């Protein structure tokens, strides 16, 4: 059984008990990580392809160590111009070991439900703040509130005068 999984922006073909070097992951050494973005799953010849990911599939791995990769030398030169730049880079990596590949049982729907609740909550708070705190509103918002309350001559009033008229 193997799976193609997206880990830290890259796709890897992984199997159980395989060790893989990936870009540095958040987490302590020895902790377990779950990857939900499974793109392809092969279970004894039956291949399941996701569109783009397979719902409910997950791959669990254990972080073995954090390390740095080999040094890469970047050398730039323009001939006959005297331009030379030498730079080096070592990529931060994490070594992980794949512990299990699950075709179903992962809970991805929890994340989808949580996101709309976060978006909906601030809208309700903004309405509560707008009715009580006029000093943080713009002049256009104050004029709209004055129009709703039926205050006449609100178009020529300044911000402080609009706030005073709305609080009466």
């Amino acid at each position: 059984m193997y799976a193609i999984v997206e880990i830290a922006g890259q796709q890897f073909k992984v199997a159980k008990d395989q060790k893989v070097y990936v870009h540095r992951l958040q987490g302590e050494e020895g902790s377990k990580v779950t990857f939900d973005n499974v793109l392809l799953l092969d279970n004894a010849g039956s291949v399941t392809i996701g569109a783009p990911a397979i719902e409910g599939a997950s791959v669990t791995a254990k972080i073995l160590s954090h390390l740095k990769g080999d040094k890469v030398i970047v050398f730039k030169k323009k001939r006959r111009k005297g331009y030379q730049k030498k730079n080096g880079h070592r990529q931060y990596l994490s070594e992980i070991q794949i512990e299990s590949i699950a075709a179903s049982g992962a809970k991805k729907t929890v994340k989808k439900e949580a996101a709309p609740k976060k978006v909906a909550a601030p809208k309700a708070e903004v309405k509560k703040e707008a009715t009580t705190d006029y000093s943080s509103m713009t002049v256009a918002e104050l004029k709209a509130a004055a129009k709703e309350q039926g205050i006449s001559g609100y178009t020529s009033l300044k911000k402080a005068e609009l706030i005073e008229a709305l609080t009466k």
Side-chain angles (χ1 to χ4, degrees), residues 76-92:
K76 298 178 182 180
K77 179 181 179 180
K78 297 194 180 196
R79 62 187 194 153
R80 298 187 301 273
K81 307 293 184 212
Y83 173 79
Q84 291 183 350
K85 291 285 180 188
K86 183 179 180 183
N87 199 354
H89 175 74
R90 291 186 73 184
Q91 184 68 40
Y92 290 100

Side-chain angles (χ1 to χ4, degrees), residues 2-117:
Y2 73 88
I4 296 180
V5 183
E6 185 174 340
I7 302 172
Q10 292 182 322
Q11 296 177 8
F12 293 93
K13 178 181 175 183
V14 296
K16 190 173 186 308
D17 297 328
Q18 180 182 3
K19 291 182 181 177
V20 182
Y21 292 100
V22 298
H23 288 300
R24 180 71 56 103
L25 298 174
Q26 298 295 325
E28 308 260 338
E29 292 182 6
S31 64
K32 293 189 179 185
V33 192
T34 303
F35 304 107
D36 296 330
N37 202 359
V38 179
L39 306 173
L40 183 134
L41 197 62
D42 182 13
N43 191 2
S46 68
V47 178
T48 307
I49 300 174
I54 300 170
E55 290 292 323
S58 67
V59 173
T60 306
K62 179 180 180 182
I63 299 176
L64 298 177
S65 64
H66 295 297
L67 53 121
K68 289 171 82 174
D70 294 336
K71 187 168 211 175
V72 177
I73 304 296
V74 179
F75 185 73
K76 298 178 182 180
K77 179 181 179 180
K78 297 194 180 196
R79 62 187 194 153
R80 298 187 301 273
K81 307 293 184 212
Y83 173 79
Q84 291 183 350
K85 291 285 180 188
K86 183 179 180 183
N87 199 354
H89 175 74
R90 291 186 73 184
Q91 184 68 40
Y92 290 100
L93 300 173
S94 294
E95 183 181 14
I96 61 172
Q97 183 173 11
I98 307 301
E99 292 188 338
S100 67
I101 300 173
S104 62
K107 297 180 181 177
K108 279 184 89 172
T109 56
V110 175
K111 293 180 184 176
K112 291 180 182 177
E113 292 174 5
K117 290 179 184 176

